[in-house]
Amino acid sequence: AWRKYSAKPFTQKSEIELEFVRHIETTLARSLFNCDELAAYSGIALAFRDRLIIEWNKTQQRQTFADQKRIYYLSLEFLMGRALDNAMLNVGLKDVAKEALGDLGFRIEDVISQEHDAALGNGGLGRLAACFLDSMATLNYPAWGYGLRYRYGIFKQEIVDGYQVEIPDYWLDFNPWEFPRHDITVNVQFYGTVNKQRDTQGRTTHIWQGGETVQAVAYDVPIPGYGTPTTNNLRLWSSKATSGEFNFQKFNAGDYESAVADEQRAETISAVLYPNDNLERGKELRLKQQYFWCAASLYDIVRRFKKTKRAWNEFPDQVAIQLNDTHPTLAIVELQRILVDIEVLEWDEAWHIVTHTFGYTNHTVLPEALEKWSVPMMQNLLPRHLQIIYDINLFFLQSVEKRFPTDRDILARVSIIEESHPKMVRMAYLAIIGSQKVNGVAELHSDLIKTTIFKDFVDICGPDKFTNVTNGITPRRWLHQANPRLSELIASKLGGYGFLKDLALLEELEDFINDKEFRKSWVEIKLMNKTRLAKHIKEATGYQVNPNALFDVQVKRIHEYKRQQLNIFGVIHRYLAIKAMDPKERAKPVPRVSIFGGKAAPGYWMAKTIIHLINKVASVINNDPDVGDLLKVIFVADYNVSKAEMICPASDISEHISTAGTEASGTSNMKFVLNGGLIIGTCDGANIEITREIGEQNIFLFGNLAEDVEELRHRHYYGDFKLDMHLAKVFDAIKGGMFGPPDDFAALLSSVESHSDYYLVSDDFLSYIETQELVDEAFRNQDEWTDKCITSVARMGFFSSDRVITEYAESIWNVEQLDMGKEN
Ligand code: 26V
């Protein structure tokens, strides 16, 4: 009987208009006569949200009914960006919405750009999680994301006098995409003590008592798949003081201030995203965030499993939990605790379940990023978990000792506990021991972890535990949404948008490589995208750049290993060369715009120095009348997902130039190539596989190889170091004050000159500038350049996150797609 009342999704313009007006007038209580773009955004977002909710509810019912194994993706970061455009495209109604908005007097682009980015992530790791959610929904996998609902996402970056300034990102003012579930809460315990007790059967049990309790409240975000009714759920936990007697007592006792302080302390847990990437600092609040989120998520997952009334040994057949880096490793310990302490399973039975449930993805080999928590801190905050970790370690080390009785050092090397002062818990080791599979994110990276940081574990656990799943990106956001014109052009040749669901279909584009009209449109689209970026640059920086120049882009977090310093030194080299030219010669070089963007972690001084140098160099070069259009340097402030959507389609060449062996994968490299840009890069991360797919004639590779890095560093360390002569001239210019007080950059130069050049900037400099000359050369021949671009796009099918998710599902999760029958 309820059926006839159930809500229906709209499909037509008139219906969208009706819903839009209804929301403006009633939900928002505004008059249509003062409906500005922000209100229009709110109205259309609410209309689409309603539509998502219907599919979302149905999806949850369908998945419960199907009763299959589910995927739980645990990530401290989900770098989602904007949701409206994605929602409109995924349900296939953007064109209709555009018309409807047009009727009401709005341009859809202006409305879309009112939305605040959901920026709950630092960079690659968080964006990967977002792409995975998109692919899991699109492929109809029953999957949930679990994360934290930070009140402040990654900070906003402003550039003041050439320096980065951080502004808090308060993004929750109006967020139509989240649904508070005040009825879904979990109490999470911290601190306290552990007492042993004997139960009725004479067994020892552990009771974790006292301490404080914080409440986790669920906020749900619908994740629509593309061209499917599947709308999955992203559940973000928000922290709040428990509404229990504790506060109430204090309150009644007249201790109002302290009750409020408790409240605020609890809310602090989910207040802010840590803005470091690749640097672990061991702060207690971060550990609290991790446990809070793991405990709430595990409780939720177990609760859902228990509803099925299955036996515990079926848990791994119903639940696959993927750990996005080591940040959620405590989930392993928490599940063991639930099974042993609360559900009173035997240790071995519980551990079997745990180790068949989890998978762990490693995203970095940088030693400073590997998480370790001090034992005393963990003892204080999570006393029972520390005991369990010690027990896991004990049983593990016993098994290792049995197998390697003669290896004296192996136990100390692989112990979860590092015997330092203070002792430390090595989270990656715990994650490996507690998981059934461990994967890296590109072939080189997966090989490297097996031969370096996790070598002993390959010997102990066998090679089958370690595997590779090369990263990918969702073509929905990174082609169709970011570059609608290119997507449309491709669709016109391929007979529809099927490639958005099966990116390998792009290979048919090679058939059109000699199609004149097609090539012409291709080139026009690139120019339009560059013009759009030039307009943004003009508005944001005041600098005018020529859209016909070669756009050379490096946008990513600022880090020494990513080597933005190599790029800016190269720019200075180019500038000096132009200055040294006879004015008549200056017609020769290819005009270039060097575009940088990216945030530095607030405490990372060297990264901030690099930003400062880029901005100083920009102001000198951009104002030098000798240079004109030949060279411009731009720093785009506050690089984020939305800016990436504008920048990726507008590059001719982009830079992925990390020291070989340091960038696990990289994913922006894929975004740029998919949008018809070429890349200059080192033999690192996914660059290697991109080369394999698109062909080495279509990429500009340079620099030393990963296998040579150790040897080079070793040599530097023992004094065998000579600064590259071209780089020396660049340094002389900086030291001579060409870009402001040289002291400002002294530490940066000396990291190369006198501190053994750990990132091999000098070693790769010559190769870099020579390769940049090859880029110029190639760009002069626009026809050949276009050949390379089209061929590359045609061969990028492999890098769809749909392929990635399929690999995870088949080789790690053992999860099936939901059969959508006729509906799909
Ligand atoms: C580490 C830490 C350390 C503790 C403080 C907070 C924090 C936040 C994030 C991280 C993770 C850093 C690892 C990371 O982002 N890796 C990137 O992952 C991308 C997706 O796999 C990959 O493409 C990049 O190459 C890799 O750097």
Side-chain angles (χ1 to χ4, degrees):
W2 286 100
R3 260 174 189 269
K4 66 178 176 212
Y5 298 112
S6 77
K8 286 198 181 56
F10 55 72
T11 48
Q12 288 170 13
K13 190 177 80 167
S14 58
E15 289 170 311
I16 295 183
E17 286 174 355
L18 214 61
E19 288 302 294
F20 176 85
V21 172
R22 182 175 70 79
H23 278 299
I24 299 275
E25 290 191 332
T26 61
T27 317
L28 301 166
R30 294 198 48 154
S31 145
L32 279 178
F33 296 104
N34 67 3
C35 179
D36 56 11
E37 274 160 0
L38 182 60
Y41 160 70
S42 310
I44 198 82
L46 288 167
F48 271 89
R49 175 179 97 154
D50 288 348
R51 196 177 192 285
L52 292 192
I53 296 172
I54 299 167
E55 298 302 343
W56 192 26
N57 286 334
K58 285 196 208 155
T59 301
Q60 295 316 316
Q61 281 172 25
R62 208 162 38 230
Q63 293 182 358
T64 305
F65 188 71
D67 198 26
Q68 291 173 198
K69 187 171 185 177
R70 284 190 172 92
I71 304 154
Y72 295 103
Y73 198 80
L74 268 57
S75 178
L76 258 193
E77 306 190 5
F78 288 94
L79 195 46
M80 304 295 285
R82 291 178 178 144
L84 174 60
D85 200 3
N86 185 248
M88 293 190 301
L89 287 170
N90 281 17
V91 303
L93 287 172
K94 186 172 177 183
D95 290 342
V96 187
K98 184 175 175 174
E99 269 183 56
L101 284 167
D103 284 358
L104 297 158
F106 296 100
R107 277 176 24 137
I108 193 165
E109 297 79 27
D110 301 335
V111 173
I112 286 170
S113 65
Q114 295 297 314
E115 184 174 354
H116 201 113
D117 270 37
L120 307 185
N122 274 285
L125 169 136
R127 184 53 232 178
L128 187 74
C131 284
F132 282 7
L133 293 180
D134 184 81
S135 283
M136 291 190 292
T138 299
L139 294 170
N140 302 313
Y141 282 107
W144 286 57
Y146 276 105
L148 275 187
R149 177 184 179 267
Y150 303 107
R151 200 150 14 106
Y152 297 93
I154 188 71
F155 61 85
K156 284 187 170 300
Q157 179 195 54
E158 284 181 8
I159 301 296
V160 179
D161 293 336
Y163 290 99
Q164 167 175 301
V165 174
E166 298 98 26
I167 316 285
D169 167 52
Y170 184 79
W171 68 291
L172 292 169
D173 263 344
F174 174 75
N175 178 6
W177 307 107
E178 64 170 14
F179 291 81
R181 304 285 194 194
H182 294 292
D183 54 329
I184 301 178
T185 61
V186 182
N187 284 342
V188 179
Q189 194 180 348
F190 294 103
Y191 307 106
T193 53
V194 180
N195 296 307
K196 282 188 192 175
Q197 265 181 11
R198 285 198 179 274
D199 69 7
T200 45
Q201 286 148 30
R203 288 183 305 195
T204 309
T205 56
H206 295 82
I207 317 281
W208 178 21
Q209 285 168 316
E212 64 180 47
T213 306
V214 177
Q215 193 177 58
V217 183
Y219 283 71
D220 287 348
V221 181
I223 307 292
Y226 175 80
T228 166
T230 298
T231 302
N232 279 335
N233 194 21
L234 168 61
R235 177 157 287 176
L236 302 176
W237 299 105
S238 182
S239 64
K240 180 168 178 275
T242 42
S243 48
E245 327 81 71
F246 187 60
N247 285 327
F248 196 61
Q249 273 169 16
K250 275 194 181 172
F251 191 74
N252 278 347
D255 201 355
Y256 179 73
E257 269 180 42
S258 132
V260 172
D262 283 348
E263 185 113 358
Q264 294 204 328
R265 209 148 49 95
E267 286 177 15
T268 302
I269 292 179
S270 61
V272 51
L273 165 81
Y274 274 84
N276 300 322
D277 72 337
N278 284 307
L279 180 71
E280 170 49 45
R281 283 165 166 281
K283 287 272 199 304
E284 190 192 57
L285 183 60
R286 167 95 178 168
L287 184 59
K288 270 189 152 175
Q289 288 188 333
Q290 293 187 350
Y291 180 63
F292 171 80
W293 151 66
C294 288
S297 307
L298 253 288
Y299 187 92
D300 210 43
I301 293 167
V302 167
R303 172 167 62 189
R304 198 165 301 120
F305 172 76
K306 282 177 129 183
K307 276 199 202 150
T308 70
K309 308 256 189 247
R310 285 186 163 84
W312 281 111
N313 63 12
E314 290 179 59
F315 193 81
D317 304 327
Q318 289 294 303
V319 173
I321 304 179
Q322 191 65 25
L323 307 175
N324 199 20
D325 217 290
T326 54
H327 317 153
T329 304
L330 283 170
I332 289 173
V333 190
E334 178 68 359
L335 182 57
Q336 181 72 3
R337 186 184 75 85
I338 293 172
L339 295 177
V340 172
D341 289 3
I342 299 171
E343 304 295 338
V344 275
L345 266 61
E346 293 295 336
W347 177 277
D348 288 344
E349 191 189 355
W351 188 241
H352 180 89
I353 293 169
V354 169
T355 51
H356 287 77
T357 299
F358 289 96
Y360 155 51
T361 306
N362 172 281
H363 295 268
T364 180
V365 289
L366 298 191
E368 64 270 30
L370 294 181
E371 286 195 298
K372 290 175 188 177
W373 293 107
S374 108
V375 166
M377 186 191 289
M378 211 180 265
Q379 166 70 48
N380 182 43
L381 188 70
L382 301 166
R384 179 59 185 141
H385 293 79
L386 187 66
Q387 287 179 345
I388 293 172
I389 291 171
Y390 268 96
D391 286 344
I392 293 171
N393 198 35
L394 178 73
F395 296 130
F396 172 68
L397 291 180
Q398 281 171 348
S399 77
V400 175
E401 195 175 21
K402 246 190 230 147
R403 287 205 30 219
F404 301 88
T406 56
D407 190 337
R408 288 168 158 262
D409 307 322
I410 195 166
L411 296 185
R413 286 203 310 268
V414 302
S415 173
I416 297 174
I417 307 298
E418 178 184 278
E419 296 293 326
S420 45
H421 299 284
K423 292 184 181 164
M424 299 294 247
V425 183
R426 296 157 160 166
M427 300 309 269
Y429 292 4
L430 180 54
I432 295 171
I433 295 165
S435 297
Q436 46 133 358
K437 289 271 173 174
V438 177
N439 75 285
V441 289
E443 276 172 19
L444 174 69
H445 169 66
S446 299
D447 288 343
L448 278 176
I449 60 178
K450 283 197 279 186
T451 51
T452 60
I453 51 176
F454 301 151
K455 182 174 185 306
D456 287 320
F457 289 91
V458 178
D459 297 340
I460 293 165
C461 312
D464 291 348
K465 181 159 184 167
F466 292 84
T467 153
N468 172 251
V469 186
T470 299
N471 282 168
I473 56 173
T474 168
R476 273 75 66 182
R477 184 175 292 260
W478 296 113
L479 178 54
H480 193 45
Q481 182 176 321
N483 203 344
R485 290 195 181 97
L486 188 62
S487 184
E488 194 185 342
L489 176 65
I490 294 172
S492 76
K493 289 294 159 191
L494 268 43
Y497 286 99
F499 61 96
L500 291 175
K501 280 200 155 206
D502 179 3
L503 202 62
L505 293 176
L506 285 180
E507 71 186 27
E508 290 171 31
L509 274 184
E510 288 199 52
D511 298 346
F512 300 93
I513 195 140
N514 294 319
D515 175 332
K516 282 222 176 74
E517 280 300 305
F518 172 66
R519 294 173 65 96
K520 190 163 159 267
S521 309
W522 186 280
V523 172
E524 277 168 9
I525 288 167
K526 179 59 81 181
L527 185 63
M528 275 195 272
N529 290 330
K530 288 167 73 179
T531 306
R532 177 172 66 154
L533 177 57
K535 185 164 168 270
H536 171 79
I537 289 172
K538 175 79 188 153
E539 285 161 10
T541 68
Y543 293 126
Q544 184 94 46
V545 300
N546 177 1
N548 290 306
L550 188 161
F551 277 23
D552 171 344
V553 183
Q554 187 177 19
V555 284
K556 48 184 87 233
R557 286 300 287 257
I558 312 291
H559 203 293
E560 285 165 283
Y561 88 80
K562 295 179 189 282
R563 297 202 296 191
Q564 284 91 355
Q565 71 275 41
L566 175 60
N567 185 344
I568 194 66
F569 294 153
V571 168
I572 297 172
H573 167 81
R574 178 172 287 259
Y575 174 58
L576 297 176
I578 293 172
K579 293 291 276 184
M581 276 176 195
D582 187 284
K584 276 175 276 165
E585 296 272 288
R586 288 201 185 123
K588 281 195 183 155
V590 174
R592 218 185 246 248
V593 183
S594 274
I595 299 164
F596 293 82
K599 294 172 185 177
Y604 188 178
W605 287 106
M606 198 63 92
K608 289 186 149 178
T609 304
I610 294 171
I611 292 179
H612 187 206
L613 179 61
I614 294 168
N615 281 292
K616 285 294 173 188
V617 170
S619 72
V620 171
I621 295 181
N622 298 351
N623 293 305
D624 187 335
D626 288 351
V627 176
D629 264 1
L630 281 187
L631 186 58
K632 285 275 173 286
V633 181
I634 301 296
F635 190 93
V636 177
D638 199 40
Y639 177 62
N640 60 15
V641 172
S642 299
K643 297 245 168 87
E645 288 169 29
M646 169 175 52
I647 293 169
C648 292
S651 92
D652 295 303
I653 194 121
S654 64
E655 308 216 9
H656 309 275
I657 59 177
S658 48
T659 311
T662 62
E663 187 72 275
S665 159
T667 43
S668 74
N669 41 8
M670 303 165 191
K671 294 165 198 168
F672 281 103
V673 179
L674 187 60
N675 281 284
L678 302 184
I679 65 188
I680 178 168
T682 44
C683 294
D684 201 17
N687 290 354
I688 297 173
E689 287 149 90
I690 292 175
T691 308
R692 185 186 67 203
E693 294 294 309
I694 69 177
E696 61 187 354
Q697 68 285 7
N698 296 317
I699 188 167
F700 298 91
L701 291 177
F702 73 95
N704 284 286
L705 301 180
E707 59 205 50
D708 301 322
V709 168
E710 201 184 79
E711 156 92 17
L712 283 165
R713 282 179 178 162
H714 187 82
R715 277 204 252 155
H716 294 177
Y717 189 79
Y718 288 101
D720 177 9
F721 176 78
K722 189 161 182 321
L723 191 62
D724 173 86
M725 61 181 262
H726 304 279
L727 189 57
K729 295 210 173 107
V730 169
F731 281 19
D732 287 344
I734 298 172
K735 288 174 187 168
M738 190 178 274
F739 307 104
D743 280 358
D744 290 1
F745 311 112
L748 178 60
L749 302 200
S750 86
S751 74
V752 177
E753 278 182 307
S754 23
H755 293 289
S756 60
D757 192 17
Y758 189 74
Y759 296 104
L760 310 184
V761 172
S762 176
D763 298 86
D764 283 347
F765 195 68
L766 181 61
S767 168
Y768 176 66
I769 56 179
E770 284 176 352
T771 308
Q772 284 287 22
E773 276 168 29
L774 296 179
V775 172
D776 284 343
E777 221 35 65
F779 195 70
R780 278 209 184 88
N781 187 337
Q782 279 289 305
D783 271 345
E784 272 179 34
W785 185 274
T786 304
D787 284 344
K788 289 182 198 292
C789 296
I790 295 174
T791 312
S792 300
V793 172
R795 298 177 183 175
M796 283 299 285
F798 180 73
F799 299 100
S800 166
S801 48
D802 297 344
R803 185 269 309 160
V804 183
I805 287 302
T806 309
E807 280 185 26
Y808 276 95
E810 288 172 1
S811 73
I812 298 179
W813 301 329
N814 195 22
V815 178
E816 309 264 311
Q817 287 168 285
L818 207 77
D819 181 2
M820 301 295 288
K822 280 192 226 94
E823 259 184 289
N824 199 14

